Amino acid sequence: MEFGGSGSPERRASAALGKLSPPRLGRAFDRGRLFDALDALLDYPGVWIAAQPGAGKTTLVATWLRARGRRTLWFQVDAADADPPTFVASLDRLAGMAAALPLDLPAFGTDDLSDLSGSLSRRLRLLLDSLPSEWTLVLDNHQELPGDHPLHQAIARALGELPPSVQWIFVSREPPPPDYALALARQHLAIVDADALRFDEAETHELVRLHGRSEAMAPALAAAEGWAAGLTLMLLGSPADAALPAPGARQRLFDFLAGEVLRRMSDEEQRALAAIAYLPSATADLARRVSGHADAPALLERLAASSLFTDRRDGPEPSYTFHALFSEVLRRRFEETAAPEEVAALRRHAASMLLETGAADAALGLLAEAGAWAEAEAALRDAAPRYVSEGRTGALLRLIEALPPESRERLAYWHGLCLLDLAPTDALPRLVLAHDAAEAAGDGAAALAAAAGAANALISLGRLPELDRWIASLTRHAALAATPGDDAAEMRLVPGLLAAVVYHAPWHELAEPLADRAERLLHLDAALGQRLLVGSLAFHLLWRGHVDRLDRVLRRIDTLAAQGRNAPVTAMRWLGVSVWVKALLGRNAEALADAGQALALVEAEPSLAGQRAAAENMAVIAALGAVDATRARRHQDLAAAALSPDNAPDRTAFEHHRGMLALLEDDRPTALRLMRAAVATARSSGFRMREHIALIANALAAAHADAHDEARERLAEVFAHPFHAICRWHHWVAGCVAAYAALRRGDVPEALDHLCPTYSVARECGFRHGPMLFCCGDMMARLAALALEHGVEPEVAREVVLRNDLMAPPEAGAAWPWALRIRALGPFEIERTDAPLPSSRKESRRLLELLRLLAAHGSAPLAQERVADALWPDSDGDAARNALDNALHRLRKMLGGDDRVLLRQGALQLNPQRCWTDVGALEGLLVRLETCPTGEIAGHGDAIRALYRAPLLPDEAVPLVMERRAMLLRRVQRGLGLAADRLTRAGLGEAAARLREPLPGL
């Protein structure tokens, strides 16, 4: 049973040339002896049939599969399949034909080549999901893959992963290469050799009967030594008295016998067959056109029906393929008799026919044989875009490097593009050559494309200072750069240009248009240039404040990464972008999870061993974003052990993280020293963003260490830097640092001057986080408190607090988004920010008594013994203490967390960083009232009177509360009285009189 289907145009073209169709059998019989041998090998995932040409390998496999009714996928391997993306594309087409529906498969790109075995295994698992449970894949002419090709190792590994009902059969002139040794040892592969394929006496007699020849001829066939090709030719064409070459000279025997058969054909027919022999396969129309012989299709059909070394393969349009030996004989006989110019002309003619069908590999081989280098160069230039868009840069590279040097120079752009991901150092001079030639020719579009490739190479090499030349080329050809092309052209242009401007000139006028176009290319996840595109686009969107668009990019990355269908190096690139951006945006749980996934990938995939430091750096930034110093320290130590001195990006990230971790651990001298060093490193990198963030980090470390002059100098550089003009993200980060530096100096007005525009940017762009900002103690909490106190973007300030779970600083007031707000002056009221309080229950009354007692003391600690005695006066010491422990546990749960109520050194208190109480706020105002300037007395006094709306818990009869109520009243009366005296002395009698008015409840 054969799989089939029409499918896409590309699939139809492939099937028409017979590559993915099994041969249609002519004269053949079932070789029971060998069928039994193959039946006995069904438990083997792979069977390798190795014998010389003409041994009957293909016919044996085709007849056995037909006899057994096996579902068959037939793959005729050719030289083009030495390019792994080409090989995989053929497998994909076969699976699509078998499934009779389009398959949703990830593109097979350059990243897959770094771990070909793993990539083929992943591909196989995806294909198995789409195929029936039982099938056989035949890899015919498998010797076309060079013996040392890495695909052999990948295929050998895949054999061990095939399910029991699936078998791969390899038909080859050669025995298995060494890469299959382990598969042989594990019995994943069995071999059927040439001796087994020899026709025995019974089979020879059967073949004689099949051809309608006399049984008496059988002894004369001994000269063929059981060789199928020789037997067939002798039966078809050898006269009884022919003088045959000596036994063992198979090539001469084949040549002789083929000559005998061909002499029975007309010269015109022989010439037609010779022309067709220059094609790997031919449809009827192609055979007619290449040979110029109207009856060429009928001739081919006759040869196929006679099994005369011509296979007919079915498909939307049947195709014919000569046996390799027969094809060689036909070409050699023609070349021996025709003039050299006639041979060259036929090769060029055949090549032109092949180019029309898209078979560029075979066509270019013929043009090379004909020495038609100009035509080969032109054909390759025309085909190059298709090769690149299909991910077949390896095949294109092989073809280009087969050309003479002068042709390679004229194809320098495509040559460099093929080398870009594999060897950027080698790609760069070719792209420079292409750019200069295009400029000299006045071809701006070609110059721009080469500039994009050169920029890509330089960024891959970390040579950012050299980007100036290519950004100048972009500027010179800005009008051309602003015009979008199709997806394939865009993928060759946009990634390099966008990366150049993002990393070196982000203020460029084309940065935003290029980013818009890049966003539309994200679906091409394995295309050339994609490794630059995702990161460049993500950071551009972050810096420009396009958080909504950035979120769409992250969602796409998350979706692709979750599918687990792409190469590990691709997944690592996605995770690297995802971790960094999520950590910067404060999506800490997601960043930590993605960093864990990256570490697991590195652990599981040998091909990622060189990315250990990168994965540890991801874990560090995620931990820093989560303000987890212990985790960050652990992963930073592991990153240090894995760092390569030659990997500049990993080392730069590592050094920056060291400074951030020193800030988080409050090692201020170390943080300042590291951040100073980072500035020097960043200046030499040519990475303008890195330089800018290093200056901001240096300013922060200086401010935190009270090196105020240095902080001011660095901030002046920050605000004057060209990157600052366009980077909204750094407006947020640098603005917070500048406000904090002013606050550290005690300059509140300047702090507010910086805070107002900074929080405005945060509101517009959705910024609420930034790991560096939260590594610096209570910096962000103090800025939020300042903003809330002065009404600066209060919604932003509250969101900063809540999203980052900030603890309230001492100066936080009632506007702070407290986890709990408790009023005990007058009616007892509780407000929980994150959720409503549990409904009142009988067992919760004692918890409220405990809470009221703590609230009566504000944030002051209260000894456990006093609490236990007050609430459980009739219980002995241990019982009261146990009751208190149980009540404390339940109260914390009711209030939403263990950090709501603190237990330190035997004393309980409401956490002043989580809970606001009117008692605590009142006591804080009373302290400030004692020392504030005269001009602030009235305001503080009014605030005190507003808080003291009634006596403390007026209905509470617990002695401790009653004692506290009286003490607090005395303190308020005394504080207001002293303040009124100060106002009187200052001549502010009316204000003093207001303070002396009776308090509520008296």
Side-chain angles (χ1 to χ4, degrees):
M1 183 184 299
E2 298 167 8
F3 288 141
S6 57
S8 66
E10 181 184 11
R11 185 178 299 153
R12 287 196 299 271
S14 178
L17 292 177
K19 182 176 179 65
L20 305 181
S21 300
R24 182 178 177 181
L25 297 169
R27 290 178 180 175
F29 66 92
D30 293 352
R31 300 179 69 184
R33 171 180 64 88
L34 291 176
F35 284 13
D36 291 343
L38 291 174
D39 290 341
L41 300 177
L42 273 172
D43 289 338
Y44 283 79
V47 174
W48 191 288
I49 300 178
Q52 69 278 10
K57 304 181 292 295
T58 297
T59 301
L60 168 65
V61 173
T63 52
W64 177 69
L65 290 170
R66 181 186 63 181
R68 297 300 184 255
R70 299 274 295 181
R71 294 184 176 91
T72 302
L73 281 72
W74 199 283
F75 184 161
Q76 186 171 326
V77 181
D78 57 41
D81 293 306
D83 175 53
T86 303
F87 182 88
V88 170
S90 293
L91 285 181
D92 292 348
R93 286 196 294 273
L94 269 176
M97 292 165 64
L101 50 83
L103 300 183
D104 179 22
L105 298 169
F108 193 92
T110 305
D111 286 348
D112 292 282
L113 301 180
S114 63
D115 178 26
L116 195 52
S117 293
S119 296
L120 189 61
S121 293
R122 282 188 300 277
R123 200 61 161 213
L124 176 61
R125 289 192 290 272
L126 294 174
L127 296 179
L128 287 171
D129 290 340
S130 305
L131 293 172
S133 59
E134 177 268 322
W135 50 275
T136 299
L137 170 66
V138 179
L139 290 158
D140 199 359
N141 286 332
H142 200 56
Q143 75 281 344
E144 292 295 331
L145 283 184
D148 59 352
H149 199 284
L151 265 172
H152 287 301
Q153 187 179 55
I155 293 169
R157 171 177 162 177
L159 291 176
E161 300 175 10
L162 294 178
S165 55
V166 174
Q167 188 176 61
W168 287 13
I169 298 178
F170 304 88
V171 178
S172 176
R173 299 180 187 179
E174 306 293 338
D179 282 331
Y180 293 89
L182 191 58
L184 289 165
R186 291 176 173 172
Q187 296 189 329
H188 294 161
L189 182 67
I191 297 177
V192 176
D193 62 17
D195 286 340
L197 267 65
R198 293 176 187 272
F199 277 64
D200 61 16
E201 185 177 351
E203 291 168 334
T204 301
H205 281 280
E206 183 66 29
L207 188 63
V208 170
R209 286 192 293 273
L210 181 67
H211 283 269
R213 304 298 292 268
S214 169
E215 291 280 342
M217 188 178 181
L221 300 177
E225 298 178 324
W227 179 38
L231 291 170
T232 300
L233 280 172
M234 292 176 74
L235 287 168
L236 287 172
S238 176
D241 57 351
L244 299 178
R250 291 192 173 180
Q251 183 64 56
R252 284 181 289 135
L253 175 62
F254 189 91
D255 289 355
F256 171 77
L257 295 173
E260 291 291 309
V261 172
L262 291 172
R263 271 196 291 273
R264 298 182 182 181
M265 298 181 183
S266 68
D267 290 344
E268 187 180 3
E269 288 176 328
Q270 292 188 49
R271 171 63 183 263
L273 291 179
I276 297 168
Y278 284 92
L279 306 176
S281 294
T283 62
D285 180 63
L286 189 58
R288 187 184 297 111
R289 291 171 62 204
V290 77
S291 67
H293 186 49
D295 294 332
L299 177 59
L300 291 173
E301 186 64 33
R302 191 166 68 246
L303 292 174
S306 301
S307 296
L308 191 56
F309 306 102
T310 304
D311 291 334
R312 184 184 191 275
R313 297 172 188 267
D314 291 331
E317 187 178 2
S319 64
Y320 301 88
T321 304
F322 291 148
H323 189 285
L325 285 177
F326 192 48
S327 181
E328 290 169 11
V329 167
L330 291 169
R331 292 195 306 271
R332 188 167 60 252
R333 287 170 62 90
F334 172 71
E335 291 166 11
E336 287 172 352
T337 58
E341 56 272 16
E342 189 179 3
V343 174
L346 179 55
R347 284 175 171 149
R348 286 196 298 271
H349 177 56
S352 69
M353 298 293 101
L354 289 171
L355 287 171
E356 290 181 15
T357 70
D361 296 68
L364 289 163
L366 287 175
L367 291 173
E369 290 173 7
W373 298 117
E375 294 173 47
E377 180 186 331
L380 204 48
R381 182 179 290 104
D382 290 341
R386 177 173 59 83
Y387 274 84
V388 173
S389 66
E390 292 173 355
R392 299 177 58 207
T393 52
L396 179 58
L397 178 64
R398 174 174 53 82
L399 293 169
I400 290 174
E401 293 189 339
L403 295 174
E406 59 274 13
S407 294
R408 290 201 299 271
E409 286 188 7
R410 286 189 290 270
L411 293 174
Y413 169 69
W414 298 106
H415 197 181
L417 210 60
C418 292
L419 291 166
L420 200 53
D421 284 347
L422 299 173
T425 302
D426 296 333
L428 185 58
R430 292 168 172 82
L431 292 164
V432 172
L433 176 65
H435 174 268
D436 293 349
E439 289 284 16
D443 188 343
L448 194 61
N456 191 329
L458 288 170
I459 292 166
S460 298
L461 296 169
R463 291 159 53 180
L464 272 64
E466 298 174 45
L467 287 172
D468 287 332
R469 176 184 179 187
W470 308 110
I471 292 172
S473 182
L474 167 63
T475 303
R476 191 162 54 251
H477 301 294
L480 289 169
T483 305
D486 59 31
D487 282 355
E490 289 283 271
M491 280 306 302
R492 297 195 299 271
L493 190 72
V494 172
L497 296 181
L498 178 64
V501 298
V502 166
Y503 296 127
H504 197 62
W507 46 85
H508 199 283
E509 62 181 350
L510 285 177
E512 194 68 25
L514 286 169
D516 291 341
R517 287 153 64 183
E519 201 168 351
R520 295 193 291 271
L521 298 172
L522 287 175
H523 66 286
L524 304 170
D525 49 272
L528 186 72
Q530 189 65 246
R531 62 178 59 188
L532 265 187
L533 189 78
V534 177
S536 303
L537 175 61
F539 286 117
H540 170 85
L541 295 176
L542 175 68
W543 297 339
R544 292 296 181 100
H546 303 312
V547 174
D548 290 343
R549 291 167 62 190
L550 179 59
D551 191 57
R552 290 198 296 271
V553 174
L554 290 176
R555 285 200 302 271
R556 170 144 185 85
I557 290 174
D558 288 345
T559 299
L560 292 170
Q563 291 172 350
R565 307 192 314 164
N566 291 86
V569 67
T570 306
M572 279 293 289
R573 183 169 64 253
W574 288 336
L575 289 169
V577 173
S578 183
V579 168
W580 276 86
V581 175
K582 288 175 180 176
L584 292 176
L585 293 177
R587 294 164 59 171
N588 299 320
E590 295 176 62
L592 287 168
D594 287 350
Q597 190 177 344
L599 288 168
L601 259 180
V602 170
E603 198 67 37
E605 294 287 347
S607 63
L608 296 178
Q611 296 204 41
R612 166 67 69 179
E616 296 294 350
N617 274 336
M618 290 183 215
V620 173
I621 191 62
L624 290 171
V627 198
D628 186 340
T630 302
R631 186 196 293 251
R633 172 62 64 189
R634 180 173 71 252
H635 287 293
Q636 189 168 77
D637 290 344
L638 292 170
L643 269 179
S644 166
D646 299 326
N647 192 321
D650 283 352
R651 185 159 291 281
T652 302
F654 174 79
E655 294 297 340
H656 186 61
H657 294 162
R658 285 182 66 199
M660 290 172 63
L661 182 55
L663 283 174
L664 185 57
E665 294 174 336
D666 203 27
D667 184 353
R668 302 184 190 194
T670 298
L672 184 54
R673 173 177 56 80
L674 291 172
M675 294 307 192
R676 286 169 178 163
V679 170
T681 301
R683 289 192 198 279
S684 63
S685 71
F687 192 176
R688 301 295 176 79
M689 184 282 294
R690 176 66 65 193
E691 179 185 4
H692 197 238
I693 198 66
L695 289 167
I696 297 171
N698 188 178
L700 176 59
H704 200 51
D706 293 326
H708 299 306
D709 289 341
E710 182 177 348
R712 271 192 290 259
E713 290 172 6
R714 288 292 177 262
L715 285 169
E717 288 188 73
V718 166
F719 296 135
H721 197 284
F723 188 76
H724 191 76
I726 53 88
C727 184
R728 304 282 277 166
W729 172 255
H730 283 196
H731 292 170
W732 156 247
V733 176
C736 287
V737 171
Y740 178 64
L743 205 58
R744 293 283 300 183
R745 296 194 303 271
D747 191 340
V748 172
E750 184 181 339
L752 289 169
D753 286 345
H754 288 295
L755 200 58
C756 288
T758 298
Y759 269 33
S760 177
V761 168
R763 172 177 50 79
E764 294 168 7
C765 300
F767 298 148
R768 301 293 186 270
H769 194 69
M772 185 169 66
L773 301 177
F774 290 84
C775 285
C776 207
D778 63 353
M779 165 182 159
M780 293 303 289
R782 292 183 62 189
L783 294 181
L786 182 67
L788 290 166
E789 181 184 354
H790 293 273
V792 176
E793 302 287 352
E795 284 304 314
V796 171
R798 279 190 284 271
E799 286 185 20
V800 168
V801 171
L802 294 173
R803 287 194 191 181
N804 298 287
D805 197 26
L806 295 182
M807 299 284 195
E811 63 268 29
W816 184 271
W818 300 92
L820 286 174
R821 294 174 182 272
I822 304 174
R823 295 185 180 274
L825 296 167
F828 187 66
E829 298 172 359
I830 311 171
E831 178 187 342
R832 179 172 157 183
T833 301
D834 59 347
L837 283 169
S839 59
S840 178
R841 298 178 303 177
K842 179 179 179 181
E843 63 267 22
S844 69
R845 287 201 296 269
R846 185 54 59 91
L847 304 186
L848 293 176
E849 290 175 2
L850 172 58
L851 181 57
R852 284 196 292 269
L853 183 58
L854 295 174
H857 290 75
S859 57
L862 191 61
Q864 286 178 283
E865 291 77 7
R866 296 188 68 193
V867 176
D869 290 344
L871 298 182
W872 292 274
D874 299 328
S875 300
D876 61 33
D878 288 342
R881 179 62 178 272
N882 289 338
L884 175 58
D885 289 344
N886 183 50
L888 175 60
H889 172 74
R890 291 163 51 211
L891 178 62
R892 285 170 164 170
K893 185 176 180 181
M894 183 180 82
L895 298 180
D898 289 351
D899 64 345
R900 295 343 185 215
V901 182
L902 303 179
L903 174 58
R904 292 174 177 168
Q905 297 178 342
L908 292 171
Q909 68 179 122
L910 291 170
N911 186 347
Q913 294 181 310
R914 292 294 194 189
C915 307
W916 180 89
T917 64
D918 55 357
V919 173
L922 179 69
E923 291 180 315
L925 282 171
L926 288 169
V927 171
R928 288 198 288 276
L929 184 64
E930 294 175 0
T931 59
C932 70
T934 302
E936 297 178 8
I937 290 176
H940 287 323
D942 290 343
I944 289 170
R945 294 184 66 85
L947 281 172
Y948 198 88
R949 54 184 181 153
L952 177 68
L953 298 172
D955 299 327
E956 185 63 68
V958 175
L960 262 179
V961 175
M962 296 171 64
E963 175 187 324
R964 178 72 171 162
R965 183 189 305 142
M967 184 275 293
L968 194 60
L969 175 60
R970 291 193 300 271
R971 187 174 176 192
V972 171
Q973 289 174 326
R974 179 177 179 276
L976 291 176
L978 291 173
D981 292 343
R982 289 177 63 195
L983 289 175
T984 300
R985 289 194 296 272
L988 300 171
E990 185 178 343
R994 284 202 312 272
L995 295 187
R996 289 194 175 99
E997 291 177 2
L999 293 169
L1002 297 181

